[in-house]
Amino acid sequence: MKKVYFYATCLGTAAMQDTILNALKLLRREGVEVIFKKKQTCCSQPSFNSGYFKESKEIALYNVNLFDEPYPIVVPSGSCAGMMSHDYLELFKDDVHFEKVKNFSQRVIELSQYLDEVLNVEYEDKGEPIKITWHSNCHALRVQKSIDANKNLIKRLKNVELIPLEYEEECCGFGGTFCVKEPEISNAMAKSKIKDIQNSGAKYLVSADGGCLLNISGTMQKMGLDVKAIHLYDFLNKRLQGESL
């Protein structure tokens, strides 16, 4: 039996608990034993992006020491996975702890990559035919490079038609602390993204990033639109169970 650590992320723990449970179900259905560390904390990306490198290193080392056994560290977020597998190396490049951090970072993998590339899962789509569109999270696209794995899981669903956005790779305006520091610009970017979503004609937006989904769905609700935003791991679980969205 394969054994992995599961890193839930701050956003998952605070605002998207159902998504975390569905992510765990996707692992468990493949017979994977999941270890969930109760004392896990932030990956340090918000502080890292704001220039607080000393504080970020303290948080990073806490995570390195917490996930100490040689198991893969599965993360249901390309953003957090990118921070832990790539940005940690930049953060510690001239540090005495670099090799220890490198060993940790090499074990970090985004959930879709683990399901697609490691387990090569087989899915039976039990849902009705549906058309969806997709938003690519910036950090997942450019740092963790997990978007192909995200889409490969969707391609396993025979009754799902994926309609590409014209500007799929454009930022939605979330950007972690960016949406707080620059709310007007963030809102304009979100509305631009939503216009692209509307032009696709799809009634469902799927993404593998909780922050992007909260930003886009919150703006769509304020605009009174009938497009539903859903996290990839919620979407997959519902299709495999034959549940309505």
Side-chain angles (χ1 to χ4, degrees):
M1 176 182 290
K2 292 183 181 295
K3 185 181 294 188
V4 303
Y5 284 123
F6 186 86
Y7 181 81
T9 81
C10 297
L11 200 56
T13 303
M16 308 188 79
Q17 294 92 342
D18 286 344
T19 301
I20 296 304
L21 290 175
N22 282 326
L24 291 169
K25 288 177 182 177
L26 291 171
L27 287 168
R28 292 295 298 274
R29 77 183 297 275
E30 304 302 327
V32 177
E33 181 180 340
V34 181
I35 304 170
F36 191 99
K37 289 279 191 173
K38 292 183 179 180
K39 294 184 178 181
Q40 57 183 274
T41 187
C42 180
C43 70
S44 78
Q45 186 177 113
S47 57
F48 176 74
N49 289 344
S50 297
Y52 294 96
F53 302 132
K54 178 178 178 293
E55 293 81 357
S56 298
K57 290 174 76 170
E58 292 176 0
I59 298 169
L61 279 177
Y62 174 85
N63 288 324
V64 170
N65 291 324
L66 183 67
F67 297 95
D68 55 344
E69 296 294 329
Y71 307 128
I73 303 159
V74 178
V75 186
S77 163
S79 184
C80 299
M83 178 67 201
M84 299 165 81
S85 65
H86 294 79
D87 294 334
Y88 275 17
L89 299 179
E90 176 67 23
L91 193 60
F92 285 87
K93 62 180 180 181
D94 298 317
D95 192 279
V96 66
H97 298 292
F98 178 79
E99 288 301 322
K100 186 176 184 180
V101 171
K102 181 181 177 182
N103 176 271
F104 169 89
S105 295
Q106 289 175 338
R107 291 187 286 124
V108 174
I109 185 169
E110 203 273 332
L111 174 57
S112 68
Q113 293 174 312
Y114 189 77
L115 294 171
D116 176 44
E117 300 166 11
V118 178
L119 298 182
N120 190 24
V121 295
E122 295 183 6
Y123 286 161
E124 179 185 355
D125 187 0
K126 297 181 180 179
E128 295 296 320
I130 190 176
K131 294 181 179 181
I132 67 170
T133 193
W134 171 267
H135 166 69
S136 289
N137 158 253
C138 296
H139 216 62
L141 178 69
R142 298 178 178 87
V143 181
Q144 184 61 20
K145 304 185 186 305
S146 54
I147 300 301
D148 284 347
N150 293 161
K151 291 182 177 179
N152 285 342
L153 295 180
I154 294 175
K155 290 175 182 177
R156 286 169 164 82
L157 305 174
K158 64 179 182 179
N159 294 327
V160 176
E161 179 183 350
L162 179 58
I163 303 172
L165 293 178
E166 185 176 359
Y167 304 106
E168 177 193 315
E169 297 181 1
E170 293 292 321
C171 179
C172 72
F174 175 63
T177 56
F178 174 79
C179 65
V180 177
K181 295 176 180 178
E182 301 289 349
E184 293 85 3
I185 299 175
S186 174
N187 189 50
M189 294 171 72
K191 288 184 176 179
S192 178
K193 171 65 67 171
I194 290 167
K195 182 179 180 181
D196 195 19
I197 294 168
Q198 289 180 290
N199 289 340
S200 75
K203 293 301 181 183
Y204 296 93
L205 169 73
V206 181
S207 180
D209 187 86
C212 296
L213 286 172
L214 289 176
N215 189 45
I216 296 170
S217 63
T219 306
M220 289 195 298
Q221 288 174 9
K222 291 177 183 177
M223 296 171 67
L225 304 183
D226 62 351
V227 180
K228 182 177 181 180
I230 183 170
H231 198 286
L232 172 64
Y233 302 124
D234 295 325
F235 181 73
L236 290 173
N237 197 64
K238 287 181 179 294
R239 299 300 297 187
L240 296 176
Q241 298 296 326
E243 298 175 2
S244 59
L245 300 180

